[in-house]
Structures are given as structure tokens and as C-alpha cells.
Amino acid sequence: MRLPIVAGNWKLNGSRASASTLAREIAAQPVAGVEVIVCPVAVHLDAVARDLENSAVKLGAQNAAAQDSGAFTGEVAVPMLAESGCEYVIIGHSERRSLFGEDEKSCAERFAAVVRGGLIPIFCVGESLEQRESGNTMSVVQQQLQAVFDLSGASAFSNAVIAYEPVWAIGTGKTASPDQAQEVHQFIRGFVAGQDQANAQAVRILYGGSVNPGNAAELFAKADIDGGLIGGAALKSEDFLSVCNAASH
Ligand code: PEP
């Protein structure tokens, strides 16, 4: 049985005070049977780490550099994230890929840096609407995963999480139907199995894209959906905790 995860991606939102309030509200209401992660903006990590002390809620970052140090202005390195108390790092979010030019090679290198630094990547994959409509969903997802296998080897996901996030469902209010999501999750698990059978059963595959308290339970009930990566609904503790409860088992 895979322990579900619900991870909140706070994106570029909030002040230090509002991030702390949100973190404390989430930490104050433990949800059993699900691993809960919050991913604030990098400069709020230290503050949020203090707010989460003595709680089961874990801390994640929204991205990490491929390099551990050096002349890379604006980047944040994995050892720095670890010092701030992070256990997880989102890598390859579609906003990083589409708005900041992170290609498959860059995402694979960042993934490798996270693993090298002893943290756990949450590796995002997903197709655009155009790619879905032209029947290329599976090949796009496969190519995104393949870049990681090429760099990190067949056991790349032995200590990693995958998030399937159809780009057309992120922040749009349009959710993939539970059947649409399950179809891709099953494909992803099968593709991982082709590289490493044992690992495929263990790897947790999250769904992301307009998950909210009203649709979470139906999505999480699917066999290969092991929780969610949550954007908008992660910014209100009540909604986020309700999504966490929907994943709990
Ligand atoms: C995300 O950005 O990872 C995400 C899933 O956002 P939203 O839940 O707002 O669609």
C-alpha cells in the first residue's frame, strides 16, 4: 500500500506573515494516513520550517538549481534547501518549463541534483491542450520521464515522486476526469515498470490540476492516483485540509 501524498504548491504567493499563518493552521490539524507537504516560496522556507516544528507536515521547495554552488545568479541550490529544512523539491513544473525555458535536459539535471543532495524530487510531467487534442499525451509524458531515466538510470524514481499535471488543467478550473487522469497514471506506472518493475509499484504518482475539495475524493479513489499536487486550493487551510482528508486512508 502506497502512503498518499498531498503537496501544496504555494507558487509566488503570500507574505512571510501569511505564509506562517497558513503553515500553522495546517500544522494544527493533523491528518492521519497521508503525507502532507507544503511548498512555500524560497525566501519563506526558514520561517515556515519553524512554524512546522513538532508537526508531521513536511517542507518542500518549488525548484532547485542543477548545480550545488557557483556563479548561477538567482538560483537556489539543493544543499541550501536542505539547510532550510526541505525534504522535497518540485522539479519540472509546467510553469518552469513554459515560462522560464526549463527544457527536458535542465529538468533532468535539476532532478539529479535533488537526488544527489538527499532530498526527494516531485517530478512534474504533463501535456498541453494542443498535445492532448493531437493524441500525443502519452508520448509527451514518456519523453519527459525518459530524460530523467537517460541521466539518472533505470532506478531514477526509486526515491522520487511523480506528479501528472495536464497543463490545460493547471489553474484553469478544468480538471481531468478521474478516468482521464487514471489512464495517464496507469501509463506512467507501466512506463516506470519497463525500466524497473519493483520501483513501479512503489512510486507515488500524484495528480495535479484544479484539484479542490469537491473533486479530490473521486480522483484519489483511482487505483494509480496516490494523492495530489495542489495549487489554488492549497492557499486556504480549510480547502487544503479537506483535500488532505480526501486522500487519507
Ligand atoms: C499546480 O500549479 O501545481 C497546480 C496543480 O495548480 P492548481 O491546483 O491551481 O491547478
Side-chain angles (χ1 to χ4, degrees):
M1 178 71 93
R2 297 179 292 269
L3 180 66
I5 292 178
V6 174
N9 174 11
W10 294 356
K11 309 195 188 192
L12 191 59
N13 289 300
S15 61
R16 182 171 294 206
S18 70
S20 280
T21 302
L22 182 56
R24 282 197 219 118
E25 285 170 0
I26 293 165
Q29 297 180 65
V31 186
V34 55
E35 200 171 340
V36 177
I37 304 167
V38 296
C39 305
V41 70
V43 292
H44 295 158
L45 286 168
D46 284 310
V48 170
R50 285 192 291 277
D51 296 312
L52 298 180
E53 263 172 28
N54 305 317
S55 90
V57 179
K58 295 181 176 167
L59 189 63
Q62 297 175 16
N63 199 6
Q67 304 83 5
D68 291 344
S69 65
F72 302 102
T73 303
E75 291 287 87
V76 181
V78 176
M80 298 166 185
L81 297 175
E83 270 190 327
S84 294
C86 285
E87 292 180 60
Y88 288 87
V89 186
I90 298 170
I91 294 292
H93 190 280
S94 70
E95 287 152 15
R96 298 303 316 172
R97 293 179 190 262
S98 66
L99 302 175
F100 299 98
E102 291 183 16
D103 59 13
E104 274 154 24
K105 181 170 173 283
S106 170
C107 293
E109 287 170 353
R110 289 166 192 269
F111 179 103
V114 174
V115 173
R116 184 170 72 239
L119 306 191
I120 302 173
I122 300 173
F123 187 70
C124 302
V125 296
E127 81 289 1
S128 65
L129 186 58
E130 193 192 345
Q131 288 164 333
R132 171 162 284 267
E133 286 175 346
S134 56
N136 290 321
T137 296
M138 304 309 179
S139 64
V140 167
V141 166
Q142 176 168 330
Q143 205 173 309
Q144 290 166 336
L145 293 169
Q146 188 64 53
V148 173
F149 285 122
D150 287 347
L151 189 66
S152 296
S155 62
F157 291 96
S158 59
N159 197 21
V161 175
I162 297 170
Y164 168 57
E165 299 207 305
V167 178
W168 48 271
I170 297 179
T172 57
K174 265 192 199 170
T175 320
S177 71
D179 286 342
Q180 277 176 320
Q182 167 59 22
E183 187 186 18
V184 184
H185 281 235
Q186 191 175 8
F187 171 81
I188 291 171
R189 202 174 300 287
F191 184 63
V192 174
Q195 311 278 333
D196 184 343
Q197 183 66 47
N199 192 3
Q201 285 317 307
V203 69
R204 288 172 291 178
I205 307 174
L206 315 183
Y207 170 77
S210 299
V211 177
N212 61 47
N215 59 26
E218 229 192 326
L219 286 157
F220 298 163
K222 290 293 179 185
D224 290 295
I225 302 183
D226 305 311
L229 180 55
I230 318 300
L235 295 173
K236 273 199 198 152
S237 58
E238 199 185 324
D239 288 353
F240 184 65
L241 286 162
S242 159
V243 172
C244 292
N245 274 300
S248 154
H249 59 235

PDB file of all heavy atoms in Angstrom, residues 7-11 90 93-95 124 163-167 169-174 207-212 228-235, ligand 1:
ATOM      1  N   ALA A   7       0.521  17.555  -1.604  1.00  0.00           N
ATOM      2  CA  ALA A   7       1.534  18.617  -1.541  1.00  0.00           C
ATOM      3  C   ALA A   7       0.919  19.921  -2.021  1.00  0.00           C
ATOM      4  O   ALA A   7       0.286  19.959  -3.081  1.00  0.00           O
ATOM      5  CB  ALA A   7       2.737  18.243  -2.411  1.00  0.00           C
ATOM      6  N   GLY A   8       1.093  20.972  -1.241  1.00  0.00           N
ATOM      7  CA  GLY A   8       0.582  22.288  -1.615  1.00  0.00           C
ATOM      8  C   GLY A   8       1.685  23.120  -2.244  1.00  0.00           C
ATOM      9  O   GLY A   8       2.733  23.336  -1.637  1.00  0.00           O
ATOM     10  N   ASN A   9       1.446  23.538  -3.483  1.00  0.00           N
ATOM     11  CA  ASN A   9       2.391  24.405  -4.188  1.00  0.00           C
ATOM     12  C   ASN A   9       1.882  25.838  -4.055  1.00  0.00           C
ATOM     13  O   ASN A   9       0.921  26.218  -4.720  1.00  0.00           O
ATOM     14  CB  ASN A   9       2.452  23.969  -5.664  1.00  0.00           C
ATOM     15  CG  ASN A   9       3.295  24.901  -6.505  1.00  0.00           C
ATOM     16  OD1 ASN A   9       4.001  25.760  -5.979  1.00  0.00           O
ATOM     17  ND2 ASN A   9       3.217  24.746  -7.825  1.00  0.00           N
ATOM     18  N   TRP A  10       2.529  26.594  -3.193  1.00  0.00           N
ATOM     19  CA  TRP A  10       2.035  27.953  -2.910  1.00  0.00           C
ATOM     20  C   TRP A  10       2.451  28.948  -3.991  1.00  0.00           C
ATOM     21  O   TRP A  10       2.054  30.115  -3.945  1.00  0.00           O
ATOM     22  CB  TRP A  10       2.523  28.417  -1.530  1.00  0.00           C
ATOM     23  CG  TRP A  10       1.947  27.629  -0.390  1.00  0.00           C
ATOM     24  CD1 TRP A  10       1.003  26.621  -0.471  1.00  0.00           C
ATOM     25  CD2 TRP A  10       2.251  27.755   1.014  1.00  0.00           C
ATOM     26  NE1 TRP A  10       0.722  26.126   0.795  1.00  0.00           N
ATOM     27  CE2 TRP A  10       1.468  26.801   1.715  1.00  0.00           C
ATOM     28  CE3 TRP A  10       3.106  28.576   1.741  1.00  0.00           C
ATOM     29  CZ2 TRP A  10       1.526  26.657   3.107  1.00  0.00           C
ATOM     30  CZ3 TRP A  10       3.166  28.440   3.128  1.00  0.00           C
ATOM     31  CH2 TRP A  10       2.380  27.492   3.800  1.00  0.00           C
ATOM     32  N   LYS A  11       3.272  28.519  -4.914  1.00  0.00           N
ATOM     33  CA  LYS A  11       3.730  29.381  -6.018  1.00  0.00           C
ATOM     34  C   LYS A  11       4.241  30.725  -5.487  1.00  0.00           C
ATOM     35  O   LYS A  11       4.785  30.782  -4.385  1.00  0.00           O
ATOM     36  CB  LYS A  11       2.614  29.557  -7.050  1.00  0.00           C
ATOM     37  CG  LYS A  11       2.020  28.218  -7.506  1.00  0.00           C
ATOM     38  CD  LYS A  11       1.202  28.348  -8.751  1.00  0.00           C
ATOM     39  CE  LYS A  11       0.498  27.030  -9.034  1.00  0.00           C
ATOM     40  NZ  LYS A  11      -0.079  26.971 -10.355  1.00  0.00           N
ATOM     41  N   ILE A  90       9.895  20.318  -5.790  1.00  0.00           N
ATOM     42  CA  ILE A  90       9.158  20.206  -7.062  1.00  0.00           C
ATOM     43  C   ILE A  90      10.146  20.494  -8.194  1.00  0.00           C
ATOM     44  O   ILE A  90      10.888  21.479  -8.145  1.00  0.00           O
ATOM     45  CB  ILE A  90       8.000  21.229  -7.120  1.00  0.00           C
ATOM     46  CG1 ILE A  90       6.980  20.968  -5.997  1.00  0.00           C
ATOM     47  CG2 ILE A  90       7.326  21.198  -8.494  1.00  0.00           C
ATOM     48  CD1 ILE A  90       5.943  22.093  -5.843  1.00  0.00           C
ATOM     49  N   HIS A  93       7.960  21.737 -12.956  1.00  0.00           N
ATOM     50  CA  HIS A  93       6.577  22.240 -13.009  1.00  0.00           C
ATOM     51  C   HIS A  93       6.343  22.897 -14.368  1.00  0.00           C
ATOM     52  O   HIS A  93       7.253  23.539 -14.924  1.00  0.00           O
ATOM     53  CB  HIS A  93       6.345  23.238 -11.874  1.00  0.00           C
ATOM     54  CG  HIS A  93       4.903  23.615 -11.722  1.00  0.00           C
ATOM     55  ND1 HIS A  93       4.296  24.535 -12.537  1.00  0.00           N
ATOM     56  CD2 HIS A  93       3.950  23.150 -10.885  1.00  0.00           C
ATOM     57  CE1 HIS A  93       3.014  24.645 -12.192  1.00  0.00           C
ATOM     58  NE2 HIS A  93       2.783  23.806 -11.186  1.00  0.00           N
ATOM     59  N   SER A  94       5.145  22.792 -14.890  1.00  0.00           N
ATOM     60  CA  SER A  94       4.910  23.302 -16.250  1.00  0.00           C
ATOM     61  C   SER A  94       5.159  24.805 -16.346  1.00  0.00           C
ATOM     62  O   SER A  94       5.516  25.313 -17.412  1.00  0.00           O
ATOM     63  CB  SER A  94       3.506  22.960 -16.726  1.00  0.00           C
ATOM     64  OG  SER A  94       2.580  23.712 -16.007  1.00  0.00           O
ATOM     65  N   GLU A  95       4.979  25.519 -15.233  1.00  0.00           N
ATOM     66  CA  GLU A  95       5.275  26.963 -15.282  1.00  0.00           C
ATOM     67  C   GLU A  95       6.778  27.199 -15.446  1.00  0.00           C
ATOM     68  O   GLU A  95       7.195  28.151 -16.105  1.00  0.00           O
ATOM     69  CB  GLU A  95       4.723  27.656 -14.016  1.00  0.00           C
ATOM     70  CG  GLU A  95       3.206  27.751 -14.083  1.00  0.00           C
ATOM     71  CD  GLU A  95       2.499  27.779 -12.739  1.00  0.00           C
ATOM     72  OE1 GLU A  95       3.140  28.010 -11.705  1.00  0.00           O
ATOM     73  OE2 GLU A  95       1.270  27.541 -12.737  1.00  0.00           O
ATOM     74  N   CYS A 124       7.323  16.792 -12.176  1.00  0.00           N
ATOM     75  CA  CYS A 124       6.058  17.071 -12.868  1.00  0.00           C
ATOM     76  C   CYS A 124       6.149  16.757 -14.354  1.00  0.00           C
ATOM     77  O   CYS A 124       7.129  17.130 -15.013  1.00  0.00           O
ATOM     78  CB  CYS A 124       5.693  18.540 -12.721  1.00  0.00           C
ATOM     79  SG  CYS A 124       5.529  19.071 -11.024  1.00  0.00           S
ATOM     80  N   ALA A 163       4.445  13.716 -10.472  1.00  0.00           N
ATOM     81  CA  ALA A 163       3.147  14.403 -10.485  1.00  0.00           C
ATOM     82  C   ALA A 163       2.697  14.543 -11.932  1.00  0.00           C
ATOM     83  O   ALA A 163       3.398  15.167 -12.738  1.00  0.00           O
ATOM     84  CB  ALA A 163       3.264  15.771  -9.826  1.00  0.00           C
ATOM     85  N   TYR A 164       1.542  13.948 -12.241  1.00  0.00           N
ATOM     86  CA  TYR A 164       0.960  14.148 -13.564  1.00  0.00           C
ATOM     87  C   TYR A 164       0.083  15.385 -13.498  1.00  0.00           C
ATOM     88  O   TYR A 164      -0.918  15.415 -12.765  1.00  0.00           O
ATOM     89  CB  TYR A 164       0.137  12.927 -14.005  1.00  0.00           C
ATOM     90  CG  TYR A 164      -0.690  13.245 -15.234  1.00  0.00           C
ATOM     91  CD1 TYR A 164      -0.084  13.703 -16.400  1.00  0.00           C
ATOM     92  CD2 TYR A 164      -2.081  13.124 -15.224  1.00  0.00           C
ATOM     93  CE1 TYR A 164      -0.826  14.044 -17.519  1.00  0.00           C
ATOM     94  CE2 TYR A 164      -2.846  13.444 -16.334  1.00  0.00           C
ATOM     95  CZ  TYR A 164      -2.210  13.905 -17.484  1.00  0.00           C
ATOM     96  OH  TYR A 164      -2.952  14.258 -18.578  1.00  0.00           O
ATOM     97  N   GLU A 165       0.482  16.410 -14.251  1.00  0.00           N
ATOM     98  CA  GLU A 165      -0.254  17.671 -14.244  1.00  0.00           C
ATOM     99  C   GLU A 165      -0.527  18.104 -15.679  1.00  0.00           C
ATOM    100  O   GLU A 165       0.329  18.749 -16.313  1.00  0.00           O
ATOM    101  CB  GLU A 165       0.560  18.762 -13.543  1.00  0.00           C
ATOM    102  CG  GLU A 165       0.873  18.470 -12.097  1.00  0.00           C
ATOM    103  CD  GLU A 165       1.059  19.765 -11.310  1.00  0.00           C
ATOM    104  OE1 GLU A 165       1.893  20.588 -11.704  1.00  0.00           O
ATOM    105  OE2 GLU A 165       0.346  19.944 -10.327  1.00  0.00           O
ATOM    106  N   PRO A 166      -1.700  17.759 -16.204  1.00  0.00           N
ATOM    107  CA  PRO A 166      -2.021  18.246 -17.548  1.00  0.00           C
ATOM    108  C   PRO A 166      -2.009  19.771 -17.544  1.00  0.00           C
ATOM    109  O   PRO A 166      -2.668  20.396 -16.711  1.00  0.00           O
ATOM    110  CB  PRO A 166      -3.428  17.680 -17.810  1.00  0.00           C
ATOM    111  CG  PRO A 166      -3.940  17.167 -16.505  1.00  0.00           C
ATOM    112  CD  PRO A 166      -2.797  17.014 -15.574  1.00  0.00           C
ATOM    113  N   VAL A 167      -1.248  20.355 -18.451  1.00  0.00           N
ATOM    114  CA  VAL A 167      -1.050  21.809 -18.432  1.00  0.00           C
ATOM    115  C   VAL A 167      -2.387  22.537 -18.549  1.00  0.00           C
ATOM    116  O   VAL A 167      -2.610  23.568 -17.907  1.00  0.00           O
ATOM    117  CB  VAL A 167      -0.083  22.219 -19.574  1.00  0.00           C
ATOM    118  CG1 VAL A 167       0.116  23.727 -19.609  1.00  0.00           C
ATOM    119  CG2 VAL A 167       1.264  21.520 -19.407  1.00  0.00           C
ATOM    120  N   ALA A 169      -5.087  21.858 -17.299  1.00  0.00           N
ATOM    121  CA  ALA A 169      -5.903  21.775 -16.077  1.00  0.00           C
ATOM    122  C   ALA A 169      -5.323  22.594 -14.936  1.00  0.00           C
ATOM    123  O   ALA A 169      -5.939  22.712 -13.884  1.00  0.00           O
ATOM    124  CB  ALA A 169      -6.032  20.314 -15.645  1.00  0.00           C
ATOM    125  N   ILE A 170      -4.137  23.170 -15.145  1.00  0.00           N
ATOM    126  CA  ILE A 170      -3.476  23.887 -14.042  1.00  0.00           C
ATOM    127  C   ILE A 170      -3.991  25.317 -13.961  1.00  0.00           C
ATOM    128  O   ILE A 170      -3.848  26.097 -14.907  1.00  0.00           O
ATOM    129  CB  ILE A 170      -1.940  23.891 -14.218  1.00  0.00           C
ATOM    130  CG1 ILE A 170      -1.414  22.455 -14.157  1.00  0.00           C
ATOM    131  CG2 ILE A 170      -1.278  24.742 -13.138  1.00  0.00           C
ATOM    132  CD1 ILE A 170       0.074  22.340 -14.335  1.00  0.00           C
ATOM    133  N   GLY A 171      -4.626  25.615 -12.839  1.00  0.00           N
ATOM    134  CA  GLY A 171      -5.095  26.978 -12.579  1.00  0.00           C
ATOM    135  C   GLY A 171      -6.236  27.411 -13.473  1.00  0.00           C
ATOM    136  O   GLY A 171      -6.555  28.593 -13.539  1.00  0.00           O
ATOM    137  N   THR A 172      -6.853  26.479 -14.162  1.00  0.00           N
ATOM    138  CA  THR A 172      -7.896  26.839 -15.128  1.00  0.00           C
ATOM    139  C   THR A 172      -9.294  26.508 -14.617  1.00  0.00           C
ATOM    140  O   THR A 172     -10.283  26.915 -15.221  1.00  0.00           O
ATOM    141  CB  THR A 172      -7.704  26.047 -16.431  1.00  0.00           C
ATOM    142  OG1 THR A 172      -7.728  24.644 -16.103  1.00  0.00           O
ATOM    143  CG2 THR A 172      -6.388  26.382 -17.107  1.00  0.00           C
ATOM    144  N   GLY A 173      -9.356  25.724 -13.541  1.00  0.00           N
ATOM    145  CA  GLY A 173     -10.657  25.254 -13.067  1.00  0.00           C
ATOM    146  C   GLY A 173     -11.134  24.031 -13.841  1.00  0.00           C
ATOM    147  O   GLY A 173     -12.155  23.433 -13.521  1.00  0.00           O
ATOM    148  N   LYS A 174     -10.392  23.647 -14.884  1.00  0.00           N
ATOM    149  CA  LYS A 174     -10.740  22.451 -15.678  1.00  0.00           C
ATOM    150  C   LYS A 174      -9.951  21.281 -15.111  1.00  0.00           C
ATOM    151  O   LYS A 174      -8.719  21.299 -15.150  1.00  0.00           O
ATOM    152  CB  LYS A 174     -10.242  22.626 -17.103  1.00  0.00           C
ATOM    153  CG  LYS A 174     -11.190  23.155 -18.080  1.00  0.00           C
ATOM    154  CD  LYS A 174     -10.578  22.956 -19.471  1.00  0.00           C
ATOM    155  CE  LYS A 174     -11.256  23.859 -20.480  1.00  0.00           C
ATOM    156  NZ  LYS A 174     -10.545  23.874 -21.740  1.00  0.00           N
ATOM    157  N   TYR A 207      -1.763  13.461  -8.831  1.00  0.00           N
ATOM    158  CA  TYR A 207      -2.455  14.199  -9.880  1.00  0.00           C
ATOM    159  C   TYR A 207      -2.477  15.678  -9.495  1.00  0.00           C
ATOM    160  O   TYR A 207      -2.726  16.017  -8.327  1.00  0.00           O
ATOM    161  CB  TYR A 207      -3.894  13.697 -10.072  1.00  0.00           C
ATOM    162  CG  TYR A 207      -4.641  14.628 -10.990  1.00  0.00           C
ATOM    163  CD1 TYR A 207      -4.417  14.582 -12.361  1.00  0.00           C
ATOM    164  CD2 TYR A 207      -5.475  15.624 -10.482  1.00  0.00           C
ATOM    165  CE1 TYR A 207      -5.020  15.504 -13.207  1.00  0.00           C
ATOM    166  CE2 TYR A 207      -6.088  16.544 -11.316  1.00  0.00           C
ATOM    167  CZ  TYR A 207      -5.853  16.472 -12.677  1.00  0.00           C
ATOM    168  OH  TYR A 207      -6.433  17.389 -13.520  1.00  0.00           O
ATOM    169  N   GLY A 208      -2.251  16.549 -10.457  1.00  0.00           N
ATOM    170  CA  GLY A 208      -2.361  17.985 -10.201  1.00  0.00           C
ATOM    171  C   GLY A 208      -3.078  18.672 -11.335  1.00  0.00           C
ATOM    172  O   GLY A 208      -2.868  18.351 -12.515  1.00  0.00           O
ATOM    173  N   GLY A 209      -3.916  19.634 -10.992  1.00  0.00           N
ATOM    174  CA  GLY A 209      -4.664  20.390 -12.000  1.00  0.00           C
ATOM    175  C   GLY A 209      -6.062  20.661 -11.492  1.00  0.00           C
ATOM    176  O   GLY A 209      -6.944  19.815 -11.643  1.00  0.00           O
ATOM    177  N   SER A 210      -6.225  21.833 -10.828  1.00  0.00           N
ATOM    178  CA  SER A 210      -7.536  22.264 -10.336  1.00  0.00           C
ATOM    179  C   SER A 210      -8.200  21.257  -9.395  1.00  0.00           C
ATOM    180  O   SER A 210      -9.427  21.099  -9.413  1.00  0.00           O
ATOM    181  CB  SER A 210      -8.452  22.614 -11.517  1.00  0.00           C
ATOM    182  OG  SER A 210      -7.888  23.687 -12.263  1.00  0.00           O
ATOM    183  N   VAL A 211      -7.395  20.592  -8.586  1.00  0.00           N
ATOM    184  CA  VAL A 211      -7.981  19.733  -7.545  1.00  0.00           C
ATOM    185  C   VAL A 211      -8.550  20.641  -6.458  1.00  0.00           C
ATOM    186  O   VAL A 211      -7.946  21.642  -6.088  1.00  0.00           O
ATOM    187  CB  VAL A 211      -6.912  18.792  -6.921  1.00  0.00           C
ATOM    188  CG1 VAL A 211      -7.523  17.963  -5.794  1.00  0.00           C
ATOM    189  CG2 VAL A 211      -6.309  17.877  -7.979  1.00  0.00           C
ATOM    190  N   ASN A 212      -9.735  20.296  -5.980  1.00  0.00           N
ATOM    191  CA  ASN A 212     -10.368  21.093  -4.919  1.00  0.00           C
ATOM    192  C   ASN A 212     -11.183  20.157  -4.024  1.00  0.00           C
ATOM    193  O   ASN A 212     -11.277  18.947  -4.309  1.00  0.00           O
ATOM    194  CB  ASN A 212     -11.229  22.210  -5.555  1.00  0.00           C
ATOM    195  CG  ASN A 212     -12.337  21.633  -6.428  1.00  0.00           C
ATOM    196  OD1 ASN A 212     -13.055  20.708  -6.021  1.00  0.00           O
ATOM    197  ND2 ASN A 212     -12.477  22.161  -7.631  1.00  0.00           N
ATOM    198  N   GLY A 228      -2.279  14.238  -4.468  1.00  0.00           N
ATOM    199  CA  GLY A 228      -2.317  15.364  -5.392  1.00  0.00           C
ATOM    200  C   GLY A 228      -1.264  16.423  -5.126  1.00  0.00           C
ATOM    201  O   GLY A 228      -0.731  16.548  -4.023  1.00  0.00           O
ATOM    202  N   LEU A 229      -0.973  17.161  -6.195  1.00  0.00           N
ATOM    203  CA  LEU A 229      -0.171  18.380  -6.103  1.00  0.00           C
ATOM    204  C   LEU A 229      -1.172  19.516  -6.315  1.00  0.00           C
ATOM    205  O   LEU A 229      -1.836  19.574  -7.359  1.00  0.00           O
ATOM    206  CB  LEU A 229       0.935  18.386  -7.161  1.00  0.00           C
ATOM    207  CG  LEU A 229       1.859  19.610  -7.196  1.00  0.00           C
ATOM    208  CD1 LEU A 229       2.506  19.879  -5.844  1.00  0.00           C
ATOM    209  CD2 LEU A 229       2.948  19.418  -8.249  1.00  0.00           C
ATOM    210  N   ILE A 230      -1.292  20.375  -5.324  1.00  0.00           N
ATOM    211  CA  ILE A 230      -2.417  21.302  -5.268  1.00  0.00           C
ATOM    212  C   ILE A 230      -1.913  22.741  -5.339  1.00  0.00           C
ATOM    213  O   ILE A 230      -1.045  23.126  -4.546  1.00  0.00           O
ATOM    214  CB  ILE A 230      -3.189  21.129  -3.921  1.00  0.00           C
ATOM    215  CG1 ILE A 230      -3.359  19.636  -3.549  1.00  0.00           C
ATOM    216  CG2 ILE A 230      -4.525  21.854  -3.964  1.00  0.00           C
ATOM    217  CD1 ILE A 230      -4.120  18.803  -4.542  1.00  0.00           C
ATOM    218  N   GLY A 231      -2.464  23.531  -6.253  1.00  0.00           N
ATOM    219  CA  GLY A 231      -2.078  24.939  -6.356  1.00  0.00           C
ATOM    220  C   GLY A 231      -3.080  25.824  -5.631  1.00  0.00           C
ATOM    221  O   GLY A 231      -2.991  26.029  -4.425  1.00  0.00           O
ATOM    222  N   GLY A 232      -4.068  26.326  -6.366  1.00  0.00           N
ATOM    223  CA  GLY A 232      -5.025  27.291  -5.810  1.00  0.00           C
ATOM    224  C   GLY A 232      -5.648  26.859  -4.492  1.00  0.00           C
ATOM    225  O   GLY A 232      -5.730  27.647  -3.538  1.00  0.00           O
ATOM    226  N   ALA A 233      -6.083  25.621  -4.419  1.00  0.00           N
ATOM    227  CA  ALA A 233      -6.777  25.151  -3.207  1.00  0.00           C
ATOM    228  C   ALA A 233      -5.820  24.933  -2.035  1.00  0.00           C
ATOM    229  O   ALA A 233      -6.270  24.632  -0.927  1.00  0.00           O
ATOM    230  CB  ALA A 233      -7.549  23.858  -3.516  1.00  0.00           C
ATOM    231  N   ALA A 234      -4.523  25.118  -2.262  1.00  0.00           N
ATOM    232  CA  ALA A 234      -3.563  24.950  -1.156  1.00  0.00           C
ATOM    233  C   ALA A 234      -3.376  26.253  -0.385  1.00  0.00           C
ATOM    234  O   ALA A 234      -2.682  26.274   0.633  1.00  0.00           O
ATOM    235  CB  ALA A 234      -2.216  24.484  -1.712  1.00  0.00           C
ATOM    236  N   LEU A 235      -3.987  27.328  -0.883  1.00  0.00           N
ATOM    237  CA  LEU A 235      -3.750  28.639  -0.263  1.00  0.00           C
ATOM    238  C   LEU A 235      -4.747  28.969   0.835  1.00  0.00           C
ATOM    239  O   LEU A 235      -4.639  30.007   1.493  1.00  0.00           O
ATOM    240  CB  LEU A 235      -3.773  29.735  -1.348  1.00  0.00           C
ATOM    241  CG  LEU A 235      -2.635  29.632  -2.368  1.00  0.00           C
ATOM    242  CD1 LEU A 235      -2.817  30.641  -3.497  1.00  0.00           C
ATOM    243  CD2 LEU A 235      -1.275  29.839  -1.702  1.00  0.00           C
TER     244      LEU A 235
HETATM  245  C1  PEP B   1      -0.057  23.406  -9.734  1.00  0.00           C
HETATM  246  O1  PEP B   1       0.335  24.516 -10.022  1.00  0.00           O
HETATM  247  O2  PEP B   1       0.774  22.501  -9.489  1.00  0.00           O
HETATM  248  C2  PEP B   1      -1.491  23.172  -9.689  1.00  0.00           C
HETATM  249  C3  PEP B   1      -1.918  21.947  -9.717  1.00  0.00           C
HETATM  250  O3  PEP B   1      -2.284  24.301  -9.639  1.00  0.00           O
HETATM  251  P1  PEP B   1      -3.890  24.307  -9.494  1.00  0.00           P
HETATM  252  O4  PEP B   1      -4.259  23.332  -8.416  1.00  0.00           O
HETATM  253  O5  PEP B   1      -4.222  25.723  -9.117  1.00  0.00           O
HETATM  254  O6  PEP B   1      -4.447  23.916 -10.815  1.00  0.00           O
END
